[in-house]
Amino acid sequence: MSHRVLDQIRSNNHRAISRLITAIESGQDVLEDEFAELFAHSHHALRIGFTGPPGAGKSTLINQCIAHLLQKDLSVGVVAVDPTSPFTGGALLGDRVRMNRFFGDDRVFIRSMGSQGDLGGLAKKAQDVGDVLAASGKDIILFETVGVGQGEHDIIKAVDFTVVVLVPESGDEIQLMKAGLIELADAFIINKADREGAGRLTQLLKNLLQNYSPKRADIPAVYSTIAFRNEGVKEAVDGILNSIRLEKEKGIFDDRRIKRYRQRVATLIHDRLLNTFWNESRETQLLQATQSIESVKRSPYKIAQELLDSFRYE
Ligand SMILES: Nc1nc2c(ncn2[C@@H]2O[C@H](COP(=O)(O)OP(=O)(O)OP(=O)(O)O)[C@@H](O)[C@H]2O)c(=O)[nH]1
Ligand SMILES: [Mg+2]
């Protein structure tokens, strides 16, 4: 990334943004000094994550949210992460079709990312992409991800505010608890309120949140929407922005950012150490030490220690 590219990003040149994101996606390391410069211009942006089961209406909701945010004179970047898709570069056709009404609008930049089998890497890349969009001047960065596994949770943990989207068919109380969604959510949206069971789920969730004593000061709000008819979405957007404003006043917002920054540094160290550790020589050493069924009768701790003994991080 040259200074010219940085200038282009900062002046919201969507082609340059797109190219840089492609570089990040393909695993090219963005040079640290230049990333630092870019990062310095990314702090103003609010990062909001939307997670929930497949087909809950996350993309439809985000699509409507964009319009409401634009009306508030807020520009928007969207990072739609699909861990199940190997495609990259906006190849999620469904998302594209639904969101392309903003095509050509320089206040909106939408990008889909696939996993290529590497979920851990995806979380890191999605955060970097969010920073690029923030540096381009976008006020709000929306992340969409299917909330099912750990890797997706890693993505959602990197945001300032997490919205969990549920639908009447998302299931019962126990499933909600199991999926860890209660701990994750800063707000809930019950979408598909036109469907049977939506009222019951909303009530169930509200009761659950009242009784469940999370280690947090305020209980997450529960909004009800019919995304494809744009019903309730404006109220949800207003409510969420208001919650964020209150969290800022109380210092909760900053605390969360600090915690997440710390986590990000720890993850980078974890990844780098592992990458440095597994060089060719250690991979060979492991293969040689485990060539026969006899050899794997030794304690695995011993092999691990031998490998570690040869490791000094420089
Ligand atoms: N009945 C009903 N259908 C809806 C509503 N909102 C969205 N849908 C439909 O639900 C389907 C899935 O919507 P998406 O927005 O693609 O859902 P998603 O959560 O982004 O899906 P994935 O990204 O595949 O996980 C689409 O056919 C939408 O038209 C709603 O409020 N009520
Ligand atoms: Mg979607």
Side-chain angles (χ1 to χ4, degrees):
M1 188 173 31
S2 65
H3 280 280
R4 199 175 130 257
V5 174
L6 261 173
D7 288 343
Q8 287 174 329
I9 303 290
R10 297 241 15 240
S11 58
N12 194 31
N13 177 330
H14 278 199
R15 283 173 148 230
I17 296 170
S18 207
R19 274 198 301 271
L20 180 54
I21 293 177
T22 302
I24 291 173
E25 271 194 311
S26 64
Q28 272 171 265
D29 255 338
V30 180
L31 294 175
E32 277 172 34
D33 288 347
E34 286 151 348
F35 188 82
E37 240 178 277
L38 190 142
F39 190 72
H41 298 285
S42 72
H43 311 312
H44 67 282
L46 263 182
R47 292 157 178 80
I48 304 177
F50 285 73
T51 191
K58 301 176 293 294
S59 300
T60 316
L61 266 169
I62 287 175
N63 192 26
Q64 308 284 18
C65 286
I66 295 171
H68 292 298
L69 291 167
L70 288 177
Q71 279 193 344
K72 293 178 188 295
D73 216 14
L74 294 166
S75 55
V76 189
V78 178
V79 186
V81 180
D82 185 354
T84 59
S85 162
F87 302 112
T88 57
L92 296 174
L93 197 60
D95 285 330
R96 264 194 158 176
V97 170
R98 270 190 290 282
M99 292 184 185
N100 75 356
R101 69 192 241 212
F102 302 107
F103 189 76
D105 187 330
D106 67 5
R107 298 168 302 167
V108 179
F109 188 99
I110 296 167
R111 183 66 173 236
S112 298
M113 299 174 71
S115 77
Q116 297 178 314
D118 172 20
L119 270 183
L122 188 60
K124 174 184 169 291
K125 286 174 188 172
Q127 286 181 52
D128 291 352
V129 170
D131 291 340
V132 171
L133 294 180
S136 80
K138 300 291 180 292
D139 299 306
I140 312 255
I141 317 296
L142 304 176
F143 292 84
E144 174 188 337
T145 178
V146 178
V148 279
Q150 196 51 52
E152 294 79 6
H153 286 191
D154 285 348
I155 297 164
I156 231 64
K157 274 184 199 152
V159 300
D160 297 312
F161 195 90
T162 301
V163 181
V164 171
V165 182
L166 297 172
V167 280
E169 46 278 33
S170 331
D172 57 17
E173 190 170 336
I174 294 159
Q175 272 176 309
L176 292 178
M177 304 288 280
K178 244 199 214 155
L181 290 172
I182 303 272
E183 287 87 346
L184 209 64
D186 298 305
F188 286 92
I189 290 182
I190 309 289
N191 189 40
K192 307 199 182 179
D194 52 312
R195 292 211 176 148
E196 210 187 302
R200 204 188 56 84
L201 176 65
T202 305
Q203 207 44 55
L204 177 78
L205 188 58
K206 282 186 176 167
N207 292 344
L208 203 67
L209 292 170
Q210 286 287 346
N211 298 328
Y212 183 80
S213 56
K215 290 183 216 98
R216 48 188 302 159
D218 28 49
I219 296 172
V222 181
Y223 303 99
S224 173
T225 58
I226 305 175
F228 67 175
R229 282 191 225 139
N230 199 16
E231 283 179 36
V233 182
K234 185 177 181 305
E235 290 75 4
V237 170
D238 288 345
I240 288 163
L241 291 180
N242 197 42
S243 295
I244 291 172
R245 192 179 54 75
L246 290 173
E247 287 189 348
K248 278 187 173 166
E249 280 171 20
K250 292 184 194 159
I252 300 172
F253 185 90
D254 285 352
D255 287 349
R256 197 182 292 142
R257 247 196 198 181
I258 293 168
K259 232 168 82 192
R260 287 170 184 192
Y261 184 93
R262 228 174 252 152
Q263 183 62 44
R264 191 166 174 185
V265 174
T267 305
L268 284 175
I269 290 175
H270 174 269
D271 291 353
R272 282 200 189 171
L273 279 176
L274 276 185
N275 280 339
T276 316
F277 184 85
W278 286 116
N279 61 14
E280 224 179 284
S281 129
R282 261 179 223 99
E283 275 169 13
T284 314
Q285 204 182 328
L286 175 63
L287 283 179
Q288 281 173 350
T290 54
Q291 266 182 336
S292 65
I293 197 71
E294 277 309 308
S295 70
V296 299
K297 285 179 181 163
R298 281 179 72 199
S299 160
Y301 291 98
K302 282 230 156 29
I303 308 277
Q305 195 53 52
E306 281 168 19
L307 282 161
L308 281 166
D309 284 344
S310 70
F311 180 64
R312 291 285 171 274
Y313 186 80
E314 269 113 44

